[in-house]
């Protein structure tokens, strides 16, 4: 919070966009610390007492924080069953036909959240209810899938485990890969 933008930019350089993110991070920390509920510290612990919608509203009011980042805070820091949709997940969801091609990332996130909630609340669900753990696992697995297989420019459909389910598959899996 007290560091210079240059020092913060250097510290976060491996994540990219350091010069753009650094002033926002400092401002976000200052705003959090200025909230009476944070008692002078850049500590978001007070979010734990908020409902999801209220916490998202608070977070997205901070500079540079959009729905995906807010959902990441709820999932990773608060253990809530929400589903952050990044660019990889958005692309895969469209290719798999899970959401319409024109649905933006924020609405795709809402659609995933609703499915997770419906499944968690369903009395007759055979599998274990999908909670934060399932959201976390699916989020990480889909990002890995997007980075390593279903890449933006050249999806490697020939080695994709989802070919049989995917209307956008460009090549059938080879017979020796079908098990
Ligand atoms: S079959 Fe191809 S387009 Fe569909 S999810 Fe797999 S890699 Fe992506």
């Amino acid at each position: 919070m007290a560091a210079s933008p240059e020092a913060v930019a250097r510290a976060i350089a491996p994540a990219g966009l350091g010069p753009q993110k650094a002033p926002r991070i400092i401002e976000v920390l200052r705003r959090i610390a200025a909230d009476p509920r944070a008692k002078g510290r850049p500590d978001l612990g007070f979010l734990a007492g908020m409902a999801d919608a209220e916490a998202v509203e608070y977070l997205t009011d901070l500079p540079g924080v959009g729905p995906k980042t807010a959902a990441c805070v709820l999932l990773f820091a608060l253990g809530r069953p929400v589903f952050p949709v990044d660019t990889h997940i958005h692309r895969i969801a469209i290719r798999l036909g899970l959401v319409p091609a024109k649905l933006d990332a924020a609405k795709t996130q809402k659609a995933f959240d609703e499915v997770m909630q419906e499944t968690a609340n369903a009395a007759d669900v055979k599998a274990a209810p999908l909670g934060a753990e399932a959201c976390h696992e699916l989020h990480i697995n889909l990002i890995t899938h997007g980075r390593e297989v279903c890449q933006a420019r050249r999806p490697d459909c020939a080695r994709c485990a989802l070919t049989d389910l995917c209307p956008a598959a460009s090549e059938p899996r080879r017979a020796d890969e079908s098990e």
Side-chain angles (χ1 to χ4, degrees):
M1 184 166 69
S4 69
E6 294 75 21
V8 176
R10 274 198 303 278
I12 63 171
L17 299 175
Q20 187 182 330
K21 290 175 182 169
R24 286 182 184 168
I25 288 172
I26 293 168
E27 175 61 17
V28 164
L29 294 174
R30 286 179 182 161
R31 281 213 211 171
I32 295 169
D35 190 304
R37 294 167 292 187
K39 301 188 173 89
R41 299 180 61 237
D43 185 337
L44 283 172
F46 60 86
L47 289 185
M50 293 184 183
D52 289 357
E54 189 186 357
V56 167
E57 192 179 335
Y58 174 85
L59 290 166
T60 52
D61 208 31
L62 296 169
V65 178
K68 185 200 84 177
T69 304
C72 284
V73 173
L74 263 63
L75 176 62
F76 297 126
L78 298 179
R80 304 278 178 90
V82 297
F83 197 86
V85 170
D86 80 333
T87 182
H88 295 293
I89 295 174
H90 187 214
R91 177 178 70 253
I92 295 166
I94 290 171
R95 285 179 175 166
L96 285 171
L98 300 177
V99 295
K102 289 187 177 163
L103 208 66
D104 65 23
K107 288 187 179 138
T108 300
Q109 182 176 302
K110 195 160 180 292
F112 270 84
D113 280 342
E114 284 168 5
V115 170
M116 289 295 190
Q117 284 298 329
E118 278 170 23
T119 311
N121 295 334
D124 61 347
V125 65
K126 290 197 176 102
L130 295 176
E133 201 176 325
C135 288
H136 186 271
E137 193 174 350
L138 183 60
H139 174 79
I140 297 296
N141 283 342
L142 282 177
I143 289 178
T144 303
H145 185 60
R147 284 184 179 147
E148 297 181 1
V149 181
C150 191
Q151 295 171 352
R153 293 196 176 187
R154 296 187 61 180
D156 192 355
C157 302
R159 81 181 178 97
C160 178
L162 303 173
T163 308
D164 296 344
L165 302 170
C166 183
S170 58
E171 299 173 41
R173 275 193 293 165
R174 296 197 304 267
D176 61 349
E177 292 178 334
S178 61
E179 294 186 1

